[in-house]
Amino acid sequence: MEDIDAIAVLQDPVRRRLYEYVVAQGREVGRNEAAEATGVARTLAAHHLDKLTGAGLLESGSRRLSGRSGPGAGRPAKVYTRARGERSVSLPARDYRTAAELLAEAAELAGLDAGLCAAARRRGESLRGSAGPCGGLDQAVETLAARGYEPYLEGAEEGAGPVVRMRNCPFHAVAESFPPLVCGMNLALLEGLLGEEGPVRARMDARPGECCVIVEASKNNDD
């Protein structure tokens, strides 16, 4: 299916709500859960979820939602997650990805990492404008969501406080080919965007399938 046709599938408001719910969970979602969360009947949810799968926007599988196995565990249920592929439409046609990859390759070969990070930090500060540094993790979630990072707050682990992780990297396509360069640029951008003198800080903490940067409370703001 062409990208423009796949994206057009989201024009239906119910279908779009279901898609956004599944994406926001960052895990497999069953039909019953999706239906209850979006306030539609299970049969309607199943119809739209399968449409989204057919369009390549979601991927489907099956598993026992009870977590049990063997006799009496019940039949496997159909579950959905966001598709790994990327969809984009530009009218007229543009190819910014190729330009970004060429620039990244040239910067890497020329050893321009420091200069790129400095430019990214300035861009982050420019995006923040006259506002002061980010005031806390809740504000960081709002700021990052507005930039397409799909942030979520992860609870405190033993000996550590809560952190903001991000399910999406807006630079994913280029980061796959030039990870050190692009991840360093991304970190610098977020340092400028969130502010380095405030109560939160950005740092590297890569996790498969997510953005390489996390946001946490600054050390100088810990009790």
Side-chain angles (χ1 to χ4, degrees):
M1 179 178 287
E2 296 289 336
D3 283 4
I4 191 168
D5 296 320
I7 293 171
V9 170
L10 295 172
Q11 185 176 1
D12 183 283
V14 173
R15 203 171 292 158
R16 184 163 183 172
R17 289 206 310 273
L18 286 162
Y19 174 78
E20 290 174 345
Y21 178 78
V22 172
V23 167
Q25 306 317 301
R27 56 174 172 77
E28 293 177 330
V29 174
R31 289 171 166 175
N32 286 340
E33 178 187 346
E36 291 176 8
T38 55
V40 300
R42 183 186 182 281
T43 52
L44 182 60
H47 167 75
H48 285 305
L49 289 167
D50 286 340
K51 283 283 187 180
L52 290 164
T53 302
L57 298 173
L58 296 179
E59 294 177 356
S60 64
S62 62
R63 66 177 176 86
R64 289 186 173 91
L65 298 179
S66 66
R68 295 181 290 127
S69 60
R75 295 175 57 188
K78 201 164 187 178
V79 292
Y80 302 84
T81 57
R82 175 165 52 188
R84 290 182 288 271
E86 183 176 312
R87 301 283 189 171
S88 63
V89 174
S90 177
L91 298 174
R94 297 288 187 261
D95 190 3
Y96 299 114
R97 176 174 175 174
T98 296
E101 289 176 342
L102 289 171
L103 291 168
E105 181 179 0
E108 191 170 76
L109 291 173
L112 299 178
D113 303 53
L116 176 62
C117 287
R121 192 171 288 105
R122 290 194 299 270
R123 175 57 64 91
E125 292 169 351
S126 175
L127 291 171
R128 179 159 48 94
S130 60
C134 182
L137 294 182
D138 289 340
Q139 186 179 347
V141 168
E142 294 180 7
T143 300
L144 295 167
R147 303 298 307 174
Y149 283 90
E150 298 181 9
Y152 66 98
L153 197 62
E154 185 173 81
E157 298 177 359
E158 186 176 351
V163 299
V164 177
R165 292 190 175 272
M166 295 163 265
R167 294 193 176 94
N168 183 51
C169 171
F171 316 110
H172 174 74
V174 186
E176 279 191 313
S177 300
F178 306 93
L181 182 77
V182 178
C183 290
M185 176 200 77
N186 186 30
L187 174 61
L189 178 73
L190 293 181
E191 287 174 342
L193 180 65
L194 300 174
E196 297 182 78
E197 303 302 323
V200 302
R201 67 162 185 163
R203 68 172 177 86
M204 291 286 193
D205 188 9
R207 177 184 285 182
E210 295 190 351
C211 179
C212 59
V213 178
I214 66 169
V215 179
E216 62 186 3
S218 299
K219 296 294 185 181
N220 56 7
N221 283 279
D222 292 342
D223 292 333

